[in-house]
Amino acid sequence: MEQIKVSSVEDRAAGYKEVLPQLKSLIADEPDFIANAANLAAALKQTLHYASWIGFYFLKNGELVLGPFQGKVACTRIKIGNGVCGTAAVQKRTLIVPNVYEFPDHIFCDPDSKSEIVVPLVKNGELFGVLDLDSSEYGSFDEVDARNLELVADMFSDTFSETYPIRNGS
Ligand code: SME
């Protein structure tokens, strides 16, 4: 299997430009969303060296439940509306948190986490999860990350099957 290659590590936008087509081909022919989420988490972790934790939460019975991730052991369930993840889910918009200590409702899964970005996963207007990235440095994520991680979320959503019993299933 081809490995993910990124040469432009210093220029964040150029790095994403190089890696996005590789991410797309990584998941293009695979309909299983767990397999795709797992490989995307791994590929992003190999690429975004400023992220300490990268993973997915999926909406099940009104809660966000931990999916595939790379990093330390994390909280398994987050209520919609709670924390950065639950807030991004309610608002269906990307949240960049430069300093997690200044986000009143931040949930500390990893005591080393200092900044975070959460991108909602939406299919046909319906939320089905979030993509969450943490960093052990303050101010790690910017608008370049937001716009490009939204593209990753879009390509993942394209492969996500609405028939999969995730929103209401166990
Ligand atoms: N910090 C998140 C919880 C998830 S972990 O960071 C993996 C939040 O406030 O929602």
Side-chain angles (χ1 to χ4, degrees):
M1 140 141 242
E2 282 283 310
Q3 286 304 309
I4 303 291
K5 292 191 201 98
V6 192
S7 45
S8 341
V9 282
E10 299 305 326
D11 179 341
R12 214 172 268 205
Y16 276 112
K17 199 170 177 190
E18 201 177 335
V19 83
L20 282 176
Q22 299 179 64
L23 298 183
K24 192 159 189 151
S25 66
L26 189 65
I27 64 173
D29 299 324
E30 177 52 64
D32 189 288
F33 79 98
I34 292 290
N36 286 340
N39 254 347
L40 283 179
L44 287 172
K45 189 74 170 66
Q46 279 173 241
T47 311
L48 307 179
H49 298 294
Y50 44 95
S52 53
W53 192 96
I54 299 180
F56 290 81
Y57 282 89
F58 293 115
L59 183 61
K60 289 186 184 179
N61 295 323
E63 281 185 317
L64 293 168
V65 182
L66 184 63
F69 69 95
Q70 295 269 317
K72 287 186 187 168
V73 167
C75 315
T76 41
R77 287 174 188 267
I78 297 171
K79 291 206 186 312
I80 291 292
N82 287 7
V84 186
C85 291
T87 304
V90 167
Q91 298 181 358
K92 278 198 217 166
R93 69 180 179 97
T94 299
L95 290 183
I96 299 172
V97 180
N99 179 349
V100 296
Y101 291 95
E102 290 175 357
F103 192 93
D105 197 23
H106 176 261
I107 300 165
F108 278 95
C109 291
D110 176 356
D112 294 338
S113 176
K114 294 196 172 70
S115 58
E116 183 163 5
I117 183 169
V118 179
V119 181
L121 302 170
V122 176
K123 177 107 183 179
N124 298 334
E126 264 194 86
L127 181 99
F128 68 92
V130 298
L131 172 60
D132 179 21
L133 287 81
D134 287 273
S135 166
S136 49
E137 303 293 330
Y138 293 110
S140 283
F141 305 106
D142 61 16
E143 288 299 326
V144 172
D145 294 297
R147 300 295 83 82
N148 282 283
L149 292 170
E150 285 165 0
L151 294 175
V152 174
D154 285 348
M155 66 173 75
F156 177 70
S157 303
D158 286 344
T159 68
F160 180 80
S161 164
E162 287 176 280
T163 58
Y164 202 90
I166 188 165
R167 287 196 195 93
N168 304 310
S170 54

